[in-house]
Amino acid sequence: MAPMDSVALLILLVALAGVALVAVVVGLVVTGRRKPAPLPETHSDVLTTPPADPEAPTELSAPPATLEPEVEPGVEEPAAPVLERPEGTASRLVRLRQRLAGSQGTLGRGLLALLSRDRLDEDTWESIEDTLLTADIGVAPTQELVERLRTRLRVEGEGDPRTVLREELVALVDPDLDRRLQVSGEDGTPGVVLVVGVNGAGKTTTVGKIARILVAEDRSVVLGAADTFRAAAVEQLATWGERVGVDVVRGEEGADPASVAFRAVQSGTERGVDTVLVDTAGRLQNKQGLMDELGKVKRVIEKQAPVTEVLLVLDATTGQNGLIQARVFSEAVAVTGIVLTKLDGSAKGGIVVQVQRELGVPVKLVGLGEGPDDLAPFDAGAFVDALLG
Ligand SMILES: Nc1nc2c(ncn2[C@@H]2O[C@H](COP(=O)(O)OP(=O)(O)O)[C@@H](O)[C@H]2O)c(=O)[nH]1
Ligand SMILES: [Mg+2]
């Protein structure tokens, strides 16, 4: 090879290397830069009353777009998560009502078929009673309902069984209960929602789902991972938070749950967020232990801000067992609302009636699936319409 050729080849190689380097750097910058997070849709306040002070300047009240850490061009970083946009209220409700009708429809259809028979004889009334009991409505409410239906359909001879059944079921579920979630605080403190219930009921999932709804309504949220019993529980909550850009206050595995709850509310208060959601452990070792632990969590939180809502999460598929557990929890801490989860996997929607009676507290939310947006506010009329199809 002639010397001139070698020089030319060298120059060519250097040039190629330069082009490759530039390409790599540009590639890094481009892939490192994330799409701006979509702004959450704003929605009617299905769940909530307006935030206490929407003007309060806070880190978290800014739209999620600003929550993304800045990326220095060319500096390698693990791919940052793109914030999810929680589903809007309108489509969520349409979707979840269909799912509710899917899981509970057989109950309503069964009742309607029985009530539409030409002759409402004793056998038919017995079948109606069985159908109601199977759906976990409970003995006393079943008897009341059957009595009312008998009177109206047989004695008074009212015409349309569907209309009568609808009215009586709605009355049983009680449309007058206040089912709004208290997610706002007063006097500059955040609303504090404490979530309790046995292991596996769906507490952590529900906290995550509520956070998404609040984010979709442009509210600022902090999560407290006060289930310090298992490290996995903290990670599970952290994942829910990360997906929508909500910060999670956590402690070491085995840390005092009350101290984590305290720090979460402290952090939320300092930042002026709208709502702090506190997840708890569901160990039901014994009643005294549970009372001590939950009582302490609540007391410690209330050194800073009142707990505005205590939600008891109850798995709808657990029937009587779930009710017994619910009673224990409601004795340990003053429950203000019930979240009935896994209604998608159970035809026993009648548990709504029973648990409200047992605890004297309204069902405020229902879980209808494992998806991140499968949580709906409970509404008596909509619920009964889903039953009746
Ligand atoms: N099908 C269904 N599964 C649910 C629902 N809510 C929670 N789960 C599931 O129940 C399991 C336990 O939930 P988790 O939130 O960890 O319960 P925790 O122990 O009370 O915190 C998880 O696999 C959830 O996906 C629901 O409404 N429907
Ligand atoms: Mg949990």
Side-chain angles (χ1 to χ4, degrees), residues 148-182:
R148 297 279 308 150
L149 292 173
R150 267 175 184 263
T151 309
R152 289 186 62 179
L153 289 173
R154 209 167 63 170
V155 182
E156 293 168 10
E158 281 188 55
D160 183 18
R162 188 191 179 88
T163 311
V164 174
L165 179 62
R166 185 184 188 282
E167 283 173 13
E168 292 301 332
L169 283 173
V170 169
L172 208 59
V173 176
D174 200 343
D176 299 328
L177 294 175
D178 183 359
R179 301 179 194 274
R180 285 170 301 178
L181 278 198
Q182 291 302 322

Side-chain angles (χ1 to χ4, degrees), residues 198-205 209 236 341-342 344 367-370:
V198 291
N199 255 337
K203 289 181 298 299
T204 306
T205 307
K209 289 173 177 175
Q236 187 191 354
T341 58
K342 312 189 195 181
D344 53 306
L368 285 160
E370 294 193 83

Side-chain angles (χ1 to χ4, degrees), residues 2 35 41 50 74 114 134 157 160 178 198 224 228 274 295-296 330 347 367 370:
K35 271 187 274 172
E41 292 172 17
L114 289 165
T134 309
D160 183 18
D178 183 359
V198 291
T228 56
D274 298 316
K296 183 173 170 196
S330 73
E370 294 193 83

Side-chain angles (χ1 to χ4, degrees), residues 243-258:
R243 289 166 74 175
V244 286
V246 164
D247 280 356
V248 180
V249 173
R250 44 165 105 197
E252 296 295 303
E253 189 173 347
D256 180 9

Side-chain angles (χ1 to χ4, degrees), residues 108-368:
R109 279 195 300 276
L111 286 174
L112 271 181
L114 289 165
L115 288 170
S116 307
R117 288 187 183 171
D118 287 341
R119 276 191 59 237
L120 291 174
D121 55 20
E122 281 313 307
D123 280 354
T124 307
W125 285 112
E126 236 167 68
S127 302
I128 290 169
E129 236 178 78
D130 289 348
T131 307
L132 291 168
L133 289 173
T134 309
D136 270 349
I137 286 191
V139 177
T142 293
Q143 279 163 0
E144 280 172 37
L145 179 60
V146 167
E147 223 28 67
R148 297 279 308 150
L149 292 173
R150 267 175 184 263
T151 309
R152 289 186 62 179
L153 289 173
R154 209 167 63 170
V155 182
E156 293 168 10
E158 281 188 55
D160 183 18
R162 188 191 179 88
T163 311
V164 174
L165 179 62
R166 185 184 188 282
E167 283 173 13
E168 292 301 332
L169 283 173
V170 169
L172 208 59
V173 176
D174 200 343
D176 299 328
L177 294 175
D178 183 359
R179 301 179 194 274
R180 285 170 301 178
L181 278 198
Q182 291 302 322
V183 293
S184 301
E186 282 171 8
D187 306 325
T189 62
V192 179
V193 181
L194 188 60
V195 178
V196 305
V198 291
N199 255 337
K203 289 181 298 299
T204 306
T205 307
T206 298
V207 168
K209 289 173 177 175
I210 295 175
R212 295 174 71 92
I213 292 176
L214 295 176
V215 166
E217 291 183 347
D218 276 336
R219 285 158 202 274
S220 49
V221 180
V222 164
L223 304 181
D227 179 355
T228 56
F229 197 52
R230 295 172 304 129
V234 177
E235 288 310 317
Q236 187 191 354
L237 190 68
T239 302
W240 278 98
E242 277 161 17
R243 289 166 74 175
V244 286
V246 164
D247 280 356
V248 180
V249 173
R250 44 165 105 197
E252 296 295 303
E253 189 173 347
D256 180 9
S259 83
V260 176
F262 180 87
R263 284 197 291 110
V265 176
Q266 187 176 45
S267 162
T269 307
E270 280 168 10
R271 300 174 190 198
V273 301
D274 298 316
T275 313
V276 181
L277 304 171
V278 180
D279 189 22
T280 62
R283 278 172 306 153
L284 197 66
Q285 63 286 62
N286 61 60
K287 198 155 105 187
Q288 195 55 48
L290 183 80
M291 285 192 166
D292 291 349
E293 182 165 312
L294 287 182
K296 183 173 170 196
V297 167
K298 189 156 183 265
R299 265 197 321 280
V300 165
I301 289 174
E302 294 200 318
K303 289 183 177 161
Q304 303 185 74
V307 171
T308 50
E309 188 86 61
V310 179
L311 291 178
L312 172 64
V313 177
L314 201 63
D315 177 341
T317 64
T318 57
Q320 295 304 314
N321 220 352
L323 281 180
I324 293 167
Q325 293 160 352
R327 216 176 293 140
V328 174
F329 274 91
S330 73
E331 283 170 31
V333 61
V335 173
T336 57
I338 297 155
V339 182
L340 208 53
T341 58
K342 312 189 195 181
L343 264 185
D344 53 306
S346 155
K348 305 194 167 210
I351 192 86
V352 168
V353 174
Q354 213 179 152
V355 70
Q356 286 187 161
R357 292 240 179 149
E358 274 276 329
L359 304 188
V361 168
V363 171
K364 293 191 171 178
L365 297 165
V366 287
L368 285 160

